Amino acid sequence: MNPFVFHSPTKVTFGEGASWTAAEVAKDFGATKTFIVTDAILMKTGILKPIIESFEENSYCLFTDVPSDSDVDTVDKAAAIAREFGANCVLAIGGGSVIDTAKVVNICLSLGGPLLDYQGLNNLSDRLGPLICIPTTAGTGSEVSMVAMVKNHKEGKKLLFGSRFLAPDAAILDPTLLLSLPPKLTAATGLDAITHGIESFSAVISSSPFTDAMCMEALKMLFENLPRATANGADMEARSATLIASAMAGVAFTNSGVGIVHALAHATGATFGTHHGLANSILLPHCMNFNMDSIANRYALISRYLNFSSSTNDNDAAAALIKAVSDISAQVGLPTRLRDCGIPVLDKRQLDELAFLASTDPAIMFNPKESSAQDIIGIYERAY
Ligand SMILES: NC(=O)c1ccc[n+]([C@@H]2O[C@H](COP(=O)([O-])OP(=O)(O)OC[C@H]3O[C@@H](n4cnc5c(N)ncnc54)[C@H](O)[C@@H]3O)[C@@H](O)[C@H]2O)c1
Ligand SMILES: [Fe+2]
């Protein structure tokens, strides 16, 4: 068996209305001045009101300007406001864009210095101040992960920050906050979580029995509940299951890494602004087909556990999993081709650029099969 290290330092609390205890959780970490990071769309929904009202006057400062494809300029702006306020705790309430922004703001607030010095893996020298995350989407797992990604528009690239010090101190999973999430976003974020489960389980060098168990159970919960949560956003059981499963897949992938799907999705997102979960959803079956000859035995294990196949032939069972992945994307109403999601053409220059970005993305290190630029271009062409 491979040697491994498994970290899961985030305290996870789950419950309907659990987010209303945010101020108490912050106090437990010694916070007297909490910097709350969220976005304008969430503010409009009204779901944040009881969370914000749990804080005493003057004990918090609210930043609501996180765009959906957050960037280093937003981080710099937010960090300056947080510093001016004298924040000693950061609370993120939102999807992956808000949580990742808050994580990087926390680096600036705690360690100072130019933000770009900290990008990459393991470049944080010390612990950060307390960070509490309340996800309002069920997909990224960022509320428990040791990574954050924000865009650098100047370079047209997503920057990765990865360190064990980036794992949030607490994650509060409150399914009531997801009731306002529209079906398309429910579907796309859910497919992000499914991709985490499949890629983490496939990362043969860095996965472990701990991450495998998290992946299997998370995938089971997602395949059973994502269609329900998408069809009926008020189905609290389905919302709860997808939210918990997304955090479980997050714990798994942050320990094992992801793979080629994420590498290609990051490149697609950086180039065309495609939503992360949607890009993953389109690329996932094509990348699984590419990986088949290296990893059919692992796909087959998932397939049998989820009852997609009872075949003892690994290739047949693995093919059933790939079909189930395509089927669930179609069932929840997501487009299945890149051309159907705002990418009008994909010419040779763009394909070369995408292949360069994907092949230099840190996620690709964990893929079970090596890929050349030509392999990556082939996957993009088939997904287009
Ligand atoms: N750090 C990690 O571990 C990790 C992992 C995967 C993805 N990501 C990053 O996460 C980002 C994507 O996050 P996401 O998929 O959660 O989407 P998102 O955060 O970009 O949100 C998408 C949209 O949904 C809206 N929204 C969120 N919650 C809502 C709710 N409850 N009701 C109504 N609207 C709501 C937001 O306002 C936004 O407009 C990408 O930047 C990606 O790179 C990070
Ligand atoms: Fe992801």
Side-chain angles (χ1 to χ4, degrees):
M1 196 175 287
N2 293 328
F4 68 86
V5 177
F6 178 84
H7 285 277
S8 190
T10 307
K11 174 183 170 185
V12 177
T13 304
F14 167 83
E16 290 176 32
S19 61
W20 308 341
T21 64
E24 281 168 47
V25 176
K27 256 193 199 149
D28 285 348
F29 288 112
T32 49
K33 293 194 149 216
T34 300
F35 187 64
I36 304 177
V37 182
T38 187
D39 72 33
I41 294 177
L42 281 159
M43 281 303 288
K44 254 198 209 142
T45 63
I47 56 175
L48 308 187
K49 207 164 167 257
I51 309 176
I52 294 166
E53 283 177 353
S54 75
F55 285 85
E56 283 166 26
E57 222 180 306
N58 303 324
S59 73
Y60 72 94
C61 167
L62 193 56
F63 181 84
T64 64
D65 288 347
V66 178
S68 142
D69 205 9
S70 191
D71 51 24
V72 285
D73 293 343
T74 305
V75 169
D76 283 338
K77 190 171 137 196
I81 298 171
R83 232 179 261 123
E84 171 84 29
F85 172 63
N88 54 13
C89 177
V90 176
L91 167 63
I93 318 168
S97 301
V98 164
I99 296 178
D100 282 11
T101 302
K103 283 176 165 176
V104 186
V105 166
N106 201 28
I107 300 176
C108 300
L109 195 60
S110 305
L111 303 182
L115 168 60
L116 296 184
D117 285 0
Y118 302 112
Q119 67 164 313
L121 293 178
N122 302 321
N123 289 329
L124 303 190
S125 53
D126 210 346
R127 284 183 181 285
L128 309 181
L131 172 69
I132 302 162
C133 294
I134 305 182
T136 62
T137 61
T140 70
S142 183
E143 69 278 9
V144 291
S145 83
M146 301 178 239
V147 291
M149 293 199 76
V150 290
K151 198 161 176 176
N152 184 344
H153 284 290
K154 275 183 217 124
E155 288 185 25
K157 207 173 150 184
K158 274 214 156 185
L159 304 180
L160 171 84
F161 298 81
S163 161
R164 69 195 169 93
F165 298 129
L166 266 185
D169 297 280
I172 305 177
L173 309 183
D174 180 349
T176 65
L177 301 179
L178 275 73
L179 297 180
S180 56
L181 191 66
K184 273 223 169 91
L185 278 167
T186 301
T189 48
L191 260 296
D192 186 21
I194 286 177
T195 308
H196 294 155
I198 291 176
E199 292 217 281
S200 171
F201 197 81
S202 311
V204 278
I205 304 296
S206 45
S207 59
S208 72
F210 282 69
T211 57
D212 287 355
M214 291 275 181
C215 290
M216 282 292 203
E217 213 45 44
L219 286 167
K220 193 162 191 285
M221 291 165 84
L222 287 161
F223 272 95
E224 283 172 8
N225 291 282
L226 184 61
R228 277 175 55 187
T230 308
N232 174 14
D235 183 335
M236 195 67 88
E237 283 305 300
R239 288 290 195 194
S240 301
T242 55
L243 185 59
I244 295 166
S246 156
M248 287 163 65
V251 169
F253 90 73
T254 202
N255 279 280
S256 64
V258 273
I260 191 166
V261 187
H262 270 77
L264 270 66
H266 291 154
T268 312
T271 308
F272 301 107
T274 320
H275 179 265
H276 175 73
L278 177 58
N280 275 332
S281 143
I282 294 172
L283 292 160
L284 179 59
H286 298 284
C287 292
M288 289 175 79
N289 272 318
F290 170 75
N291 279 342
M292 257 297 252
D293 52 5
S294 297
I295 194 99
N297 60 332
R298 301 282 286 171
Y299 290 161
L301 286 175
I302 302 175
S303 188
R304 293 184 196 114
Y305 186 70
L306 270 58
N307 287 324
F308 295 141
S309 171
S310 54
S311 172
T312 52
N313 178 300
D314 284 351
N315 283 332
D316 291 349
L321 176 65
I322 300 177
K323 181 176 179 313
V325 162
S326 299
D327 288 350
I328 196 170
S329 299
Q331 189 185 356
V332 296
L334 292 175
T336 54
R337 299 181 306 181
L338 291 172
R339 72 177 64 191
D340 297 329
C341 56
I343 304 177
V345 281
L346 208 47
D347 60 27
K348 180 166 176 344
R349 187 190 55 78
Q350 287 168 314
L351 282 167
D352 287 343
E353 177 64 22
L354 285 168
F356 171 75
L357 287 175
S359 59
T360 52
D361 189 285
I364 211 151
M365 288 191 294
F366 303 99
N367 198 58
K369 182 178 169 184
E370 296 261 333
S371 52
S372 65
Q374 209 43 50
D375 290 329
I376 294 174
I377 288 174
I379 296 172
Y380 275 121
E381 284 175 335
R382 287 189 288 282
Y384 190 69

